[in-house]
Amino acid sequence: MTQPQQAGPDQLAFQQYRTLLFSVTYRILGSAADAEDVVQDAWLKWSAADRTQVADPKAYLTRIVSNLAMERLRSTRHQRETYIGPWLPEPVLTGPDTADGVATADSVSMALLVVLETLSPLERAIFVLKEVFAFSYAEIAEAVERSETAVRQGAHRAREHVRARRPRFTADRARRRDVTERFFAATAGGDINTLMELLSPDVTLWTDGGGKVRQALKPVVGAETVASWFAALGTSTYQGIAPEQMQTELTWINGGPGVVFRGPDHVLATLTFDFDPEGRISAIHNVANPDKLHAVAEGTRYELS
């Protein structure tokens, strides 16, 4: 972000809320690149504003990014509707601190971001501000420039929609890490029996190649099919890369344990996981579209609130 060398009070005020602004925007858009652009645009608007009239910088800046994010989401809707294969959010590297906060980790998980994609831009913004950041209805009404009544109705619709599609249970951090590590080892060793044990019977694999990389164009469902898919990774080429040329890394992605696949000169894909009440893997999100892997390739690790 291009800003003055000397940090004046206006820049310090913006920087104080920068993590919040990115965290709100990323959840609304599901794209780190777009969220960075929105935060940059917010900085430009903040720089040009008459800040003597701004009583509450946090509310003012949240209003800017919320409206910019909704506008951008509306403009990209057609692009996402015509997307080749499943559309998944852009993965971001996070630290273990994000995973420590169960609510924060869940609210930035791939599973929830996929559900939020089915909301309208307004409902998505309201849900994020209310359910994740605990803004009051009055604060949200000001931020999204709607009546408080409209915001309450939107919040109710969004909450019911998410609740129906995203049950609120999360395996504890140690269990998720352990299952991911065992999955990681079983995939590397082609151990289909262990994979079958770790997967929920109706596990679903979502693969996002965006038409740029060959991937399954429909969800792959069922433990046996998904286990076979991953067991083959240790013995067959993936995106033209032989197994011996591939590096795999267990790391933190979107608030939970995940896997990064790397070729000799670029990131091939990321894997993130969702878990059922028994701690088995119920969903796997595989992002291989190179357009969505720039931040991971650069090693950018995001602090999310």
Side-chain angles (χ1 to χ4, degrees), residues 5 12 18 42 52 84 89 97 109 131 138 150 160 180 182 187 203 210 214 233 236 258 269 277 282 286 294 299:
Q5 293 297 314
L12 290 173
R18 195 186 189 288
T52 62
I84 298 174
D97 289 350
S109 67
E131 300 299 321
E160 291 302 306
T180 303
R182 292 172 62 200
T187 296
V203 62
R214 187 177 179 184
L233 283 181
S236 57
S282 58
N286 174 20
H294 295 303

PDB file of all heavy atoms in Angstrom, residues 5 12 18 42 52 84 89 97 109 131 138 150 160 180 182 187 203 210 214 233 236 258 269 277 282 286 294 299:
ATOM      1  N   GLN A   5       5.907   8.351   3.919  1.00  0.00           N
ATOM      2  CA  GLN A   5       6.965   7.796   4.748  1.00  0.00           C
ATOM      3  C   GLN A   5       6.739   8.141   6.217  1.00  0.00           C
ATOM      4  O   GLN A   5       6.902   7.328   7.088  1.00  0.00           O
ATOM      5  CB  GLN A   5       8.331   8.322   4.269  1.00  0.00           C
ATOM      6  CG  GLN A   5       8.740   7.818   2.886  1.00  0.00           C
ATOM      7  CD  GLN A   5       8.910   6.311   2.869  1.00  0.00           C
ATOM      8  OE1 GLN A   5       9.532   5.742   3.754  1.00  0.00           O
ATOM      9  NE2 GLN A   5       8.340   5.656   1.870  1.00  0.00           N
ATOM     10  N   LEU A  12      -1.965   6.774  10.957  1.00  0.00           N
ATOM     11  CA  LEU A  12      -1.987   5.909  12.134  1.00  0.00           C
ATOM     12  C   LEU A  12      -3.403   5.431  12.441  1.00  0.00           C
ATOM     13  O   LEU A  12      -3.612   4.275  12.811  1.00  0.00           O
ATOM     14  CB  LEU A  12      -1.404   6.651  13.343  1.00  0.00           C
ATOM     15  CG  LEU A  12       0.100   6.911  13.284  1.00  0.00           C
ATOM     16  CD1 LEU A  12       0.535   7.792  14.451  1.00  0.00           C
ATOM     17  CD2 LEU A  12       0.882   5.605  13.289  1.00  0.00           C
ATOM     18  N   ARG A  18      -6.618  -1.389   9.973  1.00  0.00           N
ATOM     19  CA  ARG A  18      -6.361  -2.053   8.692  1.00  0.00           C
ATOM     20  C   ARG A  18      -6.663  -3.555   8.733  1.00  0.00           C
ATOM     21  O   ARG A  18      -7.257  -4.106   7.812  1.00  0.00           O
ATOM     22  CB  ARG A  18      -4.911  -1.831   8.238  1.00  0.00           C
ATOM     23  CG  ARG A  18      -4.714  -2.185   6.772  1.00  0.00           C
ATOM     24  CD  ARG A  18      -3.269  -2.113   6.333  1.00  0.00           C
ATOM     25  NE  ARG A  18      -3.182  -2.242   4.889  1.00  0.00           N
ATOM     26  CZ  ARG A  18      -3.396  -3.359   4.214  1.00  0.00           C
ATOM     27  NH1 ARG A  18      -3.751  -4.462   4.862  1.00  0.00           N
ATOM     28  NH2 ARG A  18      -3.302  -3.394   2.899  1.00  0.00           N
ATOM     29  N   ALA A  42     -10.068   2.223  -0.003  1.00  0.00           N
ATOM     30  CA  ALA A  42     -10.543   2.860   1.228  1.00  0.00           C
ATOM     31  C   ALA A  42      -9.513   3.857   1.748  1.00  0.00           C
ATOM     32  O   ALA A  42      -9.867   4.940   2.235  1.00  0.00           O
ATOM     33  CB  ALA A  42     -10.839   1.800   2.291  1.00  0.00           C
ATOM     34  N   THR A  52     -12.122  16.095   9.605  1.00  0.00           N
ATOM     35  CA  THR A  52     -12.599  16.873  10.757  1.00  0.00           C
ATOM     36  C   THR A  52     -14.074  16.575  11.027  1.00  0.00           C
ATOM     37  O   THR A  52     -14.572  16.834  12.123  1.00  0.00           O
ATOM     38  CB  THR A  52     -12.422  18.387  10.523  1.00  0.00           C
ATOM     39  OG1 THR A  52     -13.217  18.780   9.387  1.00  0.00           O
ATOM     40  CG2 THR A  52     -10.962  18.734  10.274  1.00  0.00           C
ATOM     41  N   ILE A  84     -15.948 -21.968 -14.701  1.00  0.00           N
ATOM     42  CA  ILE A  84     -15.823 -23.368 -15.126  1.00  0.00           C
ATOM     43  C   ILE A  84     -15.542 -24.237 -13.901  1.00  0.00           C
ATOM     44  O   ILE A  84     -14.502 -24.101 -13.256  1.00  0.00           O
ATOM     45  CB  ILE A  84     -14.695 -23.525 -16.163  1.00  0.00           C
ATOM     46  CG1 ILE A  84     -15.014 -22.693 -17.417  1.00  0.00           C
ATOM     47  CG2 ILE A  84     -14.500 -24.999 -16.528  1.00  0.00           C
ATOM     48  CD1 ILE A  84     -13.896 -22.669 -18.441  1.00  0.00           C
ATOM     49  N   PRO A  89     -13.331 -20.008  -2.705  1.00  0.00           N
ATOM     50  CA  PRO A  89     -12.655 -18.771  -2.308  1.00  0.00           C
ATOM     51  C   PRO A  89     -11.138 -18.876  -2.498  1.00  0.00           C
ATOM     52  O   PRO A  89     -10.589 -19.975  -2.610  1.00  0.00           O
ATOM     53  CB  PRO A  89     -13.014 -18.630  -0.826  1.00  0.00           C
ATOM     54  CG  PRO A  89     -14.210 -19.495  -0.622  1.00  0.00           C
ATOM     55  CD  PRO A  89     -14.060 -20.625  -1.593  1.00  0.00           C
ATOM     56  N   ASP A  97      -2.279 -18.654  15.587  1.00  0.00           N
ATOM     57  CA  ASP A  97      -3.067 -17.779  16.467  1.00  0.00           C
ATOM     58  C   ASP A  97      -4.506 -17.673  15.984  1.00  0.00           C
ATOM     59  O   ASP A  97      -5.442 -17.598  16.777  1.00  0.00           O
ATOM     60  CB  ASP A  97      -2.448 -16.378  16.535  1.00  0.00           C
ATOM     61  CG  ASP A  97      -1.139 -16.364  17.318  1.00  0.00           C
ATOM     62  OD1 ASP A  97      -0.832 -17.397  17.950  1.00  0.00           O
ATOM     63  OD2 ASP A  97      -0.430 -15.355  17.286  1.00  0.00           O
ATOM     64  N   SER A 109     -13.191 -19.995   7.554  1.00  0.00           N
ATOM     65  CA  SER A 109     -12.970 -21.305   6.938  1.00  0.00           C
ATOM     66  C   SER A 109     -13.525 -21.334   5.516  1.00  0.00           C
ATOM     67  O   SER A 109     -14.456 -20.608   5.175  1.00  0.00           O
ATOM     68  CB  SER A 109     -13.660 -22.399   7.769  1.00  0.00           C
ATOM     69  OG  SER A 109     -15.076 -22.249   7.704  1.00  0.00           O
ATOM     70  N   GLU A 131     -22.580 -11.259  12.683  1.00  0.00           N
ATOM     71  CA  GLU A 131     -22.253 -12.554  13.278  1.00  0.00           C
ATOM     72  C   GLU A 131     -20.770 -12.713  13.590  1.00  0.00           C
ATOM     73  O   GLU A 131     -20.407 -13.428  14.523  1.00  0.00           O
ATOM     74  CB  GLU A 131     -22.717 -13.691  12.357  1.00  0.00           C
ATOM     75  CG  GLU A 131     -24.213 -13.704  12.092  1.00  0.00           C
ATOM     76  CD  GLU A 131     -25.035 -13.893  13.349  1.00  0.00           C
ATOM     77  OE1 GLU A 131     -24.617 -14.693  14.209  1.00  0.00           O
ATOM     78  OE2 GLU A 131     -26.078 -13.227  13.481  1.00  0.00           O
ATOM     79  N   ALA A 138     -27.806  -0.928  14.477  1.00  0.00           N
ATOM     80  CA  ALA A 138     -27.713   0.494  14.129  1.00  0.00           C
ATOM     81  C   ALA A 138     -26.396   0.788  13.410  1.00  0.00           C
ATOM     82  O   ALA A 138     -26.365   1.531  12.410  1.00  0.00           O
ATOM     83  CB  ALA A 138     -27.829   1.347  15.388  1.00  0.00           C
ATOM     84  N   ALA A 150     -34.558  -3.019   7.740  1.00  0.00           N
ATOM     85  CA  ALA A 150     -34.066  -3.817   6.604  1.00  0.00           C
ATOM     86  C   ALA A 150     -32.861  -4.656   7.020  1.00  0.00           C
ATOM     87  O   ALA A 150     -32.716  -5.816   6.593  1.00  0.00           O
ATOM     88  CB  ALA A 150     -33.696  -2.905   5.444  1.00  0.00           C
ATOM     89  N   GLU A 160     -30.454 -17.715   9.055  1.00  0.00           N
ATOM     90  CA  GLU A 160     -31.196 -18.953   8.810  1.00  0.00           C
ATOM     91  C   GLU A 160     -30.614 -19.713   7.621  1.00  0.00           C
ATOM     92  O   GLU A 160     -30.512 -20.937   7.638  1.00  0.00           O
ATOM     93  CB  GLU A 160     -32.679 -18.636   8.560  1.00  0.00           C
ATOM     94  CG  GLU A 160     -33.426 -18.126   9.779  1.00  0.00           C
ATOM     95  CD  GLU A 160     -33.372 -19.109  10.938  1.00  0.00           C
ATOM     96  OE1 GLU A 160     -33.743 -20.277  10.733  1.00  0.00           O
ATOM     97  OE2 GLU A 160     -32.924 -18.710  12.033  1.00  0.00           O
ATOM     98  N   THR A 180      -5.489 -34.218  10.003  1.00  0.00           N
ATOM     99  CA  THR A 180      -4.843 -33.673   8.809  1.00  0.00           C
ATOM    100  C   THR A 180      -3.454 -34.274   8.617  1.00  0.00           C
ATOM    101  O   THR A 180      -3.066 -34.630   7.494  1.00  0.00           O
ATOM    102  CB  THR A 180      -4.735 -32.136   8.895  1.00  0.00           C
ATOM    103  OG1 THR A 180      -6.043 -31.579   9.086  1.00  0.00           O
ATOM    104  CG2 THR A 180      -4.130 -31.561   7.628  1.00  0.00           C
ATOM    105  N   ARG A 182      -2.409 -37.201   9.662  1.00  0.00           N
ATOM    106  CA  ARG A 182      -2.560 -38.604   9.258  1.00  0.00           C
ATOM    107  C   ARG A 182      -3.018 -38.699   7.807  1.00  0.00           C
ATOM    108  O   ARG A 182      -2.557 -39.577   7.061  1.00  0.00           O
ATOM    109  CB  ARG A 182      -3.557 -39.308  10.184  1.00  0.00           C
ATOM    110  CG  ARG A 182      -3.030 -39.476  11.610  1.00  0.00           C
ATOM    111  CD  ARG A 182      -4.103 -40.005  12.539  1.00  0.00           C
ATOM    112  NE  ARG A 182      -4.573 -41.335  12.120  1.00  0.00           N
ATOM    113  CZ  ARG A 182      -5.721 -41.863  12.496  1.00  0.00           C
ATOM    114  NH1 ARG A 182      -6.555 -41.168  13.277  1.00  0.00           N
ATOM    115  NH2 ARG A 182      -6.080 -43.058  12.077  1.00  0.00           N
ATOM    116  N   THR A 187      -1.812 -40.012   2.278  1.00  0.00           N
ATOM    117  CA  THR A 187      -1.792 -39.620   0.862  1.00  0.00           C
ATOM    118  C   THR A 187      -0.409 -39.848   0.276  1.00  0.00           C
ATOM    119  O   THR A 187      -0.263 -40.405  -0.815  1.00  0.00           O
ATOM    120  CB  THR A 187      -2.195 -38.138   0.713  1.00  0.00           C
ATOM    121  OG1 THR A 187      -3.544 -37.974   1.158  1.00  0.00           O
ATOM    122  CG2 THR A 187      -2.101 -37.689  -0.733  1.00  0.00           C
ATOM    123  N   VAL A 203     -18.156 -37.972   2.434  1.00  0.00           N
ATOM    124  CA  VAL A 203     -17.210 -36.876   2.213  1.00  0.00           C
ATOM    125  C   VAL A 203     -17.339 -36.337   0.784  1.00  0.00           C
ATOM    126  O   VAL A 203     -17.606 -37.086  -0.156  1.00  0.00           O
ATOM    127  CB  VAL A 203     -15.765 -37.343   2.484  1.00  0.00           C
ATOM    128  CG1 VAL A 203     -15.361 -38.470   1.532  1.00  0.00           C
ATOM    129  CG2 VAL A 203     -14.782 -36.186   2.378  1.00  0.00           C
ATOM    130  N   GLY A 210     -10.748 -23.594 -12.282  1.00  0.00           N
ATOM    131  CA  GLY A 210     -11.133 -22.383 -13.008  1.00  0.00           C
ATOM    132  C   GLY A 210     -10.964 -22.460 -14.511  1.00  0.00           C
ATOM    133  O   GLY A 210     -10.901 -21.435 -15.191  1.00  0.00           O
ATOM    134  N   ARG A 214      -6.633 -28.655 -15.217  1.00  0.00           N
ATOM    135  CA  ARG A 214      -7.593 -29.742 -15.311  1.00  0.00           C
ATOM    136  C   ARG A 214      -7.956 -30.250 -13.916  1.00  0.00           C
ATOM    137  O   ARG A 214      -7.097 -30.703 -13.159  1.00  0.00           O
ATOM    138  CB  ARG A 214      -7.015 -30.885 -16.147  1.00  0.00           C
ATOM    139  CG  ARG A 214      -8.026 -31.982 -16.432  1.00  0.00           C
ATOM    140  CD  ARG A 214      -7.456 -33.057 -17.328  1.00  0.00           C
ATOM    141  NE  ARG A 214      -8.438 -34.106 -17.573  1.00  0.00           N
ATOM    142  CZ  ARG A 214      -8.169 -35.207 -18.268  1.00  0.00           C
ATOM    143  NH1 ARG A 214      -6.971 -35.386 -18.782  1.00  0.00           N
ATOM    144  NH2 ARG A 214      -9.109 -36.121 -18.451  1.00  0.00           N
ATOM    145  N   LEU A 233      -2.240 -39.972  -5.795  1.00  0.00           N
ATOM    146  CA  LEU A 233      -1.336 -38.819  -5.916  1.00  0.00           C
ATOM    147  C   LEU A 233       0.126 -39.189  -5.724  1.00  0.00           C
ATOM    148  O   LEU A 233       1.014 -38.573  -6.305  1.00  0.00           O
ATOM    149  CB  LEU A 233      -1.716 -37.733  -4.896  1.00  0.00           C
ATOM    150  CG  LEU A 233      -2.938 -36.878  -5.216  1.00  0.00           C
ATOM    151  CD1 LEU A 233      -3.149 -35.848  -4.111  1.00  0.00           C
ATOM    152  CD2 LEU A 233      -2.785 -36.179  -6.553  1.00  0.00           C
ATOM    153  N   SER A 236       1.194 -40.989  -9.316  1.00  0.00           N
ATOM    154  CA  SER A 236       0.896 -40.459 -10.648  1.00  0.00           C
ATOM    155  C   SER A 236       1.228 -38.972 -10.726  1.00  0.00           C
ATOM    156  O   SER A 236       1.358 -38.296  -9.700  1.00  0.00           O
ATOM    157  CB  SER A 236      -0.591 -40.677 -10.985  1.00  0.00           C
ATOM    158  OG  SER A 236      -1.417 -40.073 -10.007  1.00  0.00           O
ATOM    159  N   GLY A 258      -3.947 -27.150   6.798  1.00  0.00           N
ATOM    160  CA  GLY A 258      -4.120 -27.362   5.362  1.00  0.00           C
ATOM    161  C   GLY A 258      -2.824 -27.834   4.738  1.00  0.00           C
ATOM    162  O   GLY A 258      -1.795 -27.954   5.413  1.00  0.00           O
ATOM    163  N   ALA A 269      -1.379 -26.269  -5.783  1.00  0.00           N
ATOM    164  CA  ALA A 269      -2.723 -26.333  -5.204  1.00  0.00           C
ATOM    165  C   ALA A 269      -2.650 -26.221  -3.688  1.00  0.00           C
ATOM    166  O   ALA A 269      -1.580 -26.379  -3.085  1.00  0.00           O
ATOM    167  CB  ALA A 269      -3.405 -27.651  -5.587  1.00  0.00           C
ATOM    168  N   PRO A 277     -19.010 -34.224  13.213  1.00  0.00           N
ATOM    169  CA  PRO A 277     -18.982 -34.250  14.682  1.00  0.00           C
ATOM    170  C   PRO A 277     -18.034 -35.295  15.267  1.00  0.00           C
ATOM    171  O   PRO A 277     -17.570 -35.147  16.399  1.00  0.00           O
ATOM    172  CB  PRO A 277     -20.438 -34.556  15.057  1.00  0.00           C
ATOM    173  CG  PRO A 277     -21.244 -34.091  13.888  1.00  0.00           C
ATOM    174  CD  PRO A 277     -20.388 -34.353  12.692  1.00  0.00           C
ATOM    175  N   SER A 282     -15.171 -34.281   6.422  1.00  0.00           N
ATOM    176  CA  SER A 282     -16.468 -34.311   5.730  1.00  0.00           C
ATOM    177  C   SER A 282     -16.434 -33.575   4.396  1.00  0.00           C
ATOM    178  O   SER A 282     -17.291 -33.811   3.536  1.00  0.00           O
ATOM    179  CB  SER A 282     -17.551 -33.698   6.619  1.00  0.00           C
ATOM    180  OG  SER A 282     -17.217 -32.366   6.966  1.00  0.00           O
ATOM    181  N   ASN A 286     -10.106 -28.152  -2.704  1.00  0.00           N
ATOM    182  CA  ASN A 286      -8.833 -28.191  -3.429  1.00  0.00           C
ATOM    183  C   ASN A 286      -8.800 -27.030  -4.423  1.00  0.00           C
ATOM    184  O   ASN A 286      -9.517 -27.044  -5.426  1.00  0.00           O
ATOM    185  CB  ASN A 286      -8.722 -29.547  -4.154  1.00  0.00           C
ATOM    186  CG  ASN A 286      -7.505 -29.627  -5.052  1.00  0.00           C
ATOM    187  OD1 ASN A 286      -6.560 -28.877  -4.891  1.00  0.00           O
ATOM    188  ND2 ASN A 286      -7.541 -30.547  -6.010  1.00  0.00           N
ATOM    189  N   HIS A 294      -1.628 -16.715  -5.805  1.00  0.00           N
ATOM    190  CA  HIS A 294      -0.512 -15.760  -5.764  1.00  0.00           C
ATOM    191  C   HIS A 294      -0.062 -15.475  -4.334  1.00  0.00           C
ATOM    192  O   HIS A 294       1.133 -15.463  -4.028  1.00  0.00           O
ATOM    193  CB  HIS A 294      -0.894 -14.454  -6.465  1.00  0.00           C
ATOM    194  CG  HIS A 294      -1.134 -14.610  -7.932  1.00  0.00           C
ATOM    195  ND1 HIS A 294      -0.170 -15.125  -8.789  1.00  0.00           N
ATOM    196  CD2 HIS A 294      -2.212 -14.325  -8.712  1.00  0.00           C
ATOM    197  CE1 HIS A 294      -0.646 -15.151 -10.021  1.00  0.00           C
ATOM    198  NE2 HIS A 294      -1.883 -14.681 -10.005  1.00  0.00           N
ATOM    199  N   GLY A 299       4.011 -16.451  -0.059  1.00  0.00           N
ATOM    200  CA  GLY A 299       4.232 -16.716   1.362  1.00  0.00           C
ATOM    201  C   GLY A 299       3.593 -15.689   2.274  1.00  0.00           C
ATOM    202  O   GLY A 299       3.925 -15.604   3.452  1.00  0.00           O
TER     203      GLY A 299
END
